[in-house]
Amino acid sequence: MKLVISDLVAYSALGVVVAGQDVNDTANGMADVIQGKADCASVAAIFARGTFDSGNIGVWVGPQFFEELSARIPSVTLQGVDSTAYKADLDGYLSDGGSSDGAASLASTVNDYNSKCPDSAIVVSGWSQGALVAHKALEQVSSAALNKVAALVTFGDPNGVFSNISLPTSIPSSSFSSSCVTGTVFDPLCAQLPGDFKFPTLISDIVGPFASLPHITVGAQQAEAAASLVAQFPGQLADSWDSFVSNLAPEQFVRLMLTPQHFTYGNNGMAAEAADFVAGLSAVQSAQ
Ligand SMILES: *[C@@H]1O[C@H](CO)[C@@H](O)[C@H](O)[C@H]1NC(C)=O
Ligand SMILES: *[C@@H]1O[C@H](CO)[C@@H](O)[C@H](O)[C@H]1NC(C)=O
């Protein structure tokens, strides 16, 4: 708790925390183009939200990343993974290792967009479970569309503690940006765990850190989402405990460690850094 607050002070000192930021948790730009309601944009970005996140891009990372992309790329269209196909629930995260239906939906949107706009560069992105969905989706994107995928951008990416899906061969590692909070107070879902790391074994070890989540929120929607997570997550976890959580090996319990650091990517400067990365890619520059 102390450490979280000192982190926040550090972020504030850097001017990174944006007070009272309002976000829109929905983006349907690529669907509008596919349906003929809008023209092709030079760059199209699709984002998969994390577990429990609202709308189709959520409130924690998607809107902030998209705002930073819009500030850097004049012709960009932004999209979330269809929320009717991708529920972003705990079961999809733990049982599927990232919703398979969500991955299929992401891939299908990318394929349809590429058929309509074959010259556009495509950015596939996601946070938390959404990062897993993004990795999985790349295995299902058509080869024509895969040739236009300029970047895979993930935040708090748990791929390493799930099935370690590798990049398609057509996507070089230099096109992959994976943001992770590391250091003394780290995000256990993506950071290298210290040798003396104490793996959680009880529900209380996992939900305990949630008590400090409300302290790291920015804006009314994040505050509301944090309150809802604190209210819902322990109960959902308790309900699921016997069915799949009890089958996890100790090292796999880390998959459930949604610490407050995991929720900071939209506000800690990393969304802006990831947008810099995308805007600097030659495939993105040459598409414009
Ligand atoms: C959020 O964005 C969606 C899609 O562009 C739009 O339909 C909706 O009206 C926006 N909501 C708000 C509150 O601005
Ligand atoms: C994924 O890779 C990491 C780092 O190489 C390794 O520690 C982990 O055990 C791997 N996980 C799986 C499920 O293979």
Side-chain angles (χ1 to χ4, degrees), residues 42-47 62 64-78 120-126 148-155 173-179 269-288:
S42 308
V43 179
I46 186 162
F47 183 88
Q64 296 81 0
F65 175 52
F66 277 0
E67 197 169 307
E68 300 290 354
L69 279 182
S70 300
R72 289 161 178 77
I73 304 172
S75 172
V76 64
T77 189
L78 306 165
S120 301
I122 295 165
V123 176
V124 173
S125 60
K148 301 305 289 184
V149 172
L152 171 64
V153 176
T154 62
F155 302 90
S173 58
S174 57
S175 302
F176 178 33
S177 159
S178 182
S179 299
M270 288 184 171
E273 283 168 17
D276 279 339
F277 167 82
V278 170
L281 291 168
S282 58
V284 167
Q285 289 176 354
S286 62
Q288 299 178 69

Side-chain angles (χ1 to χ4, degrees), residues 23-29 32:
V23 297
N24 186 340
D25 65 6
T26 303
N28 283 316
D32 285 349

Side-chain angles (χ1 to χ4, degrees), residues 159-165 192 251-252 255:
N159 189 35
V161 295
F162 279 92
S163 48
N164 278 347
I165 296 174
Q192 177 98 44
E251 318 78 66
Q252 295 171 334
R255 296 174 181 177

Side-chain angles (χ1 to χ4, degrees), residues 170-189:
S170 65
I171 300 192
S173 58
S174 57
S175 302
F176 178 33
S177 159
S178 182
S179 299
C180 185
V181 175
T182 58
T184 323
V185 185
F186 54 89
D187 179 350
L189 288 187

